[in-house]
Amino acid sequence: MGDGASSSGGGVAEGGETVIVDHGRRRSSCGYCRSTSHSCISHGLWAYSITVDDYQELLDRGWRRSGCFLYKPEMERTCCPSYTIRLKVEDFSPSKEQARVQKKMQRFLDGTLDVKKPEQVKLTQDSSKSRCMHADASPTTVPNAPVSESSSSSSSDKISSADPYLHYLEKKIDDALSTPALLAEFPIIQVPKAIVKRVTSQAKRKISNVTEDLLYTSNISFQVAAALRRSLLTEDDGQSGLSRSSASQHGNLINFSPNTVAEKLAVFINGQGDIHGLSIKACSGHLNFYSTTKLPGTDFLSSEACAHSDGKRVNPKRSCMSGGGIGQHHKRRRLEIRMKRSSFDPEEFALYRRYQIKVHNDKPEKVSESSYRRFLVDTPLVFVPPISGNETVPHCGLGSFHQQYLIDGKLVAVGVVDILPRCLSSKYLFWDPEFSFLSLGKYSALQEINWVKEAGIHCPGLQYYYLGYYIHSCSKMRYKAAYHPSELLCPLRYKWVPFYIARPLLDEKPYVVLSDFTAQSDGFSNQFTDGLSSQSELRSEDDDLNEASSEEDDSDDNEPGIEGT
């Protein structure tokens, strides 16, 4: 390595040389233990350029980069000792929690994941122009529909506030039943209040012949029919009900079935023509509301779904809501993963800014383009292009990259990585807060592990996945050890030590010369069981931890006090 400067900035030196300048010891506040006493102590280098081979060697000596600045914690002095952690991908076996993350993403892409929070998925670029209601985890827009102004604190109002159309549709039904025209049809002394429910994707899966987008349903027709029957059974014609003679003036009302009531309500409400974006149909006694606009990712049902294939009508309570076979057609989403060389991308910066403000609560004025460039775009690594027939360089080359994740063309996450001769080193991940339910931090780590496996077929030397620093005292770093079987780098002899050996040692004190205990690893068997059993035990504990905090931020190091250098 050279020690000097041939140019300014972080540009690549001619000939692909390593050109660095020693910055000596640095003290700063710690972003992990939140110490403000400058207890974070490291040694720093400024890299004008560095070859991928030299940076690989530095990683294996405990160094790491933030932009063009390289640093290494002084492990015996710093407040939070940081151990380099890696995984040999051919030995990796996903835990139950990690398998669930993969399955959840697959269900989301298949269109079968039920996303319960409407604000979580907005695949349209301008979500401010539409109100989103979820049917099978996909946005459905109902233009110009008024919003209920109810502010009740009851649980039902909390549900309705998440989907404001419920109160609106209930009011439309109540208003219809109170009009003179329908009061003449249904002479009820006490008109029941309508309840409208959103149709879940689980209920839709049980209905066949799916052709229209069913969003909401109400069983008000059953209540009205029951009220009519009760009125006819009343002998008095006073306040409590209708006499039989009075009822006879309206025809034989006892023949009014829920389906007849639903059909009359549907005709009347449709005739008013002021529910934009929705059509109302009677379905075996249920009053169903369908979207008139077909959007990506939605499911479509028709009133014909309420009859079996032999044409026979079925129990209305089963037919529309919980009966029938599975014949639903789901709109699949497309996930695209792109590996591109590190460069400034306005779309990526906009996503990074949104992530930092919403997830890390950064102040907007602190998330600047210049700090983003220094932290995640600038790189001193000398790019090595792919060479035909060369088994040491993967198809994308070696150097610094941004791995983009796009769903139906929308950028939802970016992983910043370095691809080196022996590893993929994960530096940082930022993602769209709207998609937090997909656990994109865990999912991207699994994808990066898979990338190394596939690249290793062509490049046998590329075998490891580096997850940055592991800090045992920092709970937000614990997720890194969940990728089994991981290894920690001994801070003195630079030997790799299995995590199951390191963990009980780090439980005792933060700084440990790990390699001192590798020769004694057999002695740990009696106290901590053998390696495989310990790994299984740790995995079980990690699954429990992940279950308890599934929304934990699992992006990589923030490198506090470093990125502004």
Side-chain angles (χ1 to χ4, degrees):
M1 299 183 192
D3 186 3
S6 59
S7 61
S8 60
V12 175
E14 291 185 8
E17 298 176 336
T18 293
V19 182
I20 58 176
V21 174
D22 188 0
H23 273 226
R25 177 179 292 175
R26 293 171 52 86
R27 291 179 178 269
S28 66
S29 59
C30 181
Y32 300 115
C33 65
R34 303 300 178 187
S35 169
T36 58
S37 60
H38 291 82
S39 58
C40 181
I41 306 172
S42 63
H43 197 98
L45 302 172
W46 182 264
Y48 289 88
S49 67
I50 186 169
T51 66
V52 291
D53 294 286
D54 285 342
Y55 186 55
Q56 176 75 70
E57 295 302 320
L58 286 173
L59 277 185
D60 292 335
R61 293 296 182 272
W63 291 82
R64 189 151 176 81
R65 77 175 184 89
S66 175
C68 294
F69 188 79
L70 309 180
Y71 62 99
K72 176 183 178 181
E74 294 193 3
M75 299 286 279
E76 292 183 88
R77 296 182 176 89
T78 191
C79 56
C80 296
S82 306
Y83 297 82
T84 301
I85 184 170
R86 76 176 186 181
L87 167 75
K88 191 170 185 178
V89 298
E90 68 178 18
D91 297 332
F92 173 67
S93 177
S95 66
K96 291 184 293 184
E97 167 66 15
Q98 291 157 358
R100 280 193 288 268
V101 169
Q102 291 178 309
K103 290 177 181 178
K104 181 189 290 185
M105 174 62 83
Q106 191 56 55
R107 293 202 312 273
F108 179 71
L109 296 175
D110 290 341
T112 60
L113 179 66
D114 182 23
V115 182
K116 296 181 179 180
K117 295 182 180 180
E119 68 273 16
Q120 285 180 324
V121 180
K122 297 176 184 177
L123 291 177
T124 52
Q125 292 293 333
D126 189 2
S127 59
S128 63
K129 294 183 180 180
S130 64
R131 301 185 183 277
C132 294
M133 300 180 297
H134 287 283
D136 199 25
S138 301
T140 304
T141 304
V142 181
N144 304 320
V147 179
S148 169
E149 297 180 356
S150 172
S151 59
S152 170
S153 60
S154 67
S155 60
S156 61
D157 285 343
K158 288 180 182 178
I159 294 174
S160 296
S161 64
D163 192 339
Y165 303 98
L166 296 179
H167 274 321
Y168 169 68
L169 295 175
E170 288 168 355
K171 188 174 186 304
K172 295 299 294 183
I173 296 172
D174 291 339
D175 290 346
L177 287 172
S178 63
T179 58
L182 286 187
L183 280 176
E185 292 277 356
F186 313 132
I188 309 171
I189 298 301
Q190 191 171 10
V191 179
K193 291 291 184 181
I195 296 177
V196 175
K197 295 182 179 180
R198 186 171 52 200
V199 180
T200 65
S201 57
Q202 290 95 329
K204 291 183 183 182
R205 294 190 193 109
K206 300 176 182 179
I207 306 175
S208 58
N209 301 323
V210 180
T211 57
E212 289 187 69
D213 188 6
L214 173 61
L215 299 179
Y216 306 97
T217 189
S218 174
N219 65 353
I220 183 63
S221 304
F222 292 91
Q223 300 176 55
V224 170
L228 283 170
R229 287 193 295 271
R230 285 195 298 271
S231 297
L232 288 169
L233 295 175
T234 303
E235 295 295 337
D236 300 327
D237 60 356
Q239 293 288 327
S240 60
L242 295 172
S243 67
R244 293 186 183 274
S245 59
S246 176
S248 64
Q249 297 174 5
H250 300 278
N252 190 6
L253 297 183
I254 200 166
N255 291 328
F256 268 102
S257 67
N259 195 54
T260 303
V261 175
E263 288 173 353
K264 289 183 177 292
L265 275 172
V267 170
F268 182 86
I269 298 174
N270 278 324
Q272 290 181 314
D274 58 351
I275 299 184
H276 302 286
L278 292 177
S279 67
I280 302 95
K281 293 183 180 181
C283 179
S284 292
H286 286 86
L287 194 64
N288 287 348
F289 297 83
Y290 300 87
S291 172
T292 58
T293 305
K294 295 184 178 181
L295 294 176
T298 56
D299 305 303
F300 301 100
L301 293 95
S302 72
S303 59
E304 297 301 321
C306 298
H308 285 303
S309 58
D310 58 5
K312 293 181 180 180
R313 305 303 289 183
V314 296
N315 186 317
K317 289 188 178 181
R318 288 186 168 183
S319 61
C320 291
M321 303 307 300
S322 62
I326 299 176
Q328 194 169 347
H329 300 288
H330 299 287
K331 172 67 176 180
R332 288 183 56 85
R333 298 179 178 89
R334 180 171 179 262
L335 171 65
E336 183 180 0
I337 302 177
R338 301 174 182 169
M339 186 75 80
K340 59 185 287 287
R341 288 183 61 186
S342 181
S343 62
F344 179 77
D345 183 325
E347 187 179 10
E348 287 184 1
F349 173 63
L351 178 61
Y352 169 80
R353 180 178 172 82
R354 189 160 65 252
Y355 168 79
Q356 292 295 133
I357 293 171
K358 290 192 176 183
V359 176
H360 289 290
N361 298 314
D362 287 0
K363 294 181 179 179
E365 61 271 18
K366 296 292 185 180
V367 188
S368 65
E369 181 181 319
S370 59
S371 65
Y372 168 71
R373 285 178 180 271
R374 286 196 302 271
F375 182 30
L376 296 178
V377 178
D378 293 348
T379 176
L381 295 187
V382 178
F383 176 68
V384 177
I387 303 172
S388 179
N390 189 325
E391 294 187 352
T392 63
V393 181
H395 61 86
C396 61
L398 298 172
S400 300
F401 297 85
H402 285 194
Q403 193 168 42
Q404 298 180 328
Y405 295 78
L406 300 95
I407 296 178
D408 289 345
K410 177 185 173 72
L411 185 67
V412 299
V414 176
V416 181
V417 301
D418 292 328
I419 298 177
L420 305 173
R422 296 192 293 275
C423 74
L424 181 150
S425 174
S426 179
K427 175 170 172 50
Y428 200 75
L429 177 86
F430 52 94
W431 36 265
D432 191 334
E434 301 284 353
F435 291 81
S436 61
F437 64 95
L438 288 175
S439 303
L440 290 171
K442 297 180 180 68
Y443 182 79
S444 66
L446 295 171
Q447 289 301 307
E448 288 167 358
I449 291 171
N450 188 61
W451 186 93
V452 177
K453 284 184 178 180
E454 293 182 353
I457 298 173
H458 173 68
C459 305
L462 217 168
Q463 301 180 22
Y464 292 95
Y465 177 55
Y466 283 53
L467 294 90
Y469 286 137
Y470 172 81
I471 302 175
H472 194 64
S473 59
C474 180
S475 60
K476 286 190 175 182
M477 289 289 158
R478 294 290 182 94
Y479 76 91
K480 295 185 179 185
Y483 299 90
H484 302 284
S486 52
E487 301 174 300
L488 298 185
L489 183 67
C490 174
L492 182 63
R493 298 185 181 90
Y494 306 121
K495 294 181 179 180
W496 294 97
V497 178
F499 181 74
Y500 74 85
I501 293 177
R503 178 173 179 170
L505 301 172
L506 296 174
D507 284 339
E508 297 296 325
K509 54 183 179 179
Y511 173 73
V512 180
V513 179
L514 298 175
S515 59
D516 284 349
F517 297 87
T518 54
Q520 307 172 27
S521 60
D522 291 340
F524 283 99
S525 300
N526 296 330
Q527 186 175 2
F528 303 105
T529 75
D530 62 21
L532 291 176
S533 298
S534 294
Q535 285 286 45
S536 177
E537 182 179 326
L538 296 179
R539 176 174 304 191
S540 177
E541 293 177 14
D542 288 329
D543 282 343
D544 293 339
L545 176 63
N546 286 327
E547 280 290 333
S549 57
S550 60
E551 296 304 320
E552 180 179 322
D553 172 37
D554 31 344
S555 60
D556 204 351
D557 313 298
N558 274 314
E559 333 246 330
I562 298 293
E563 67 266 25
T565 303

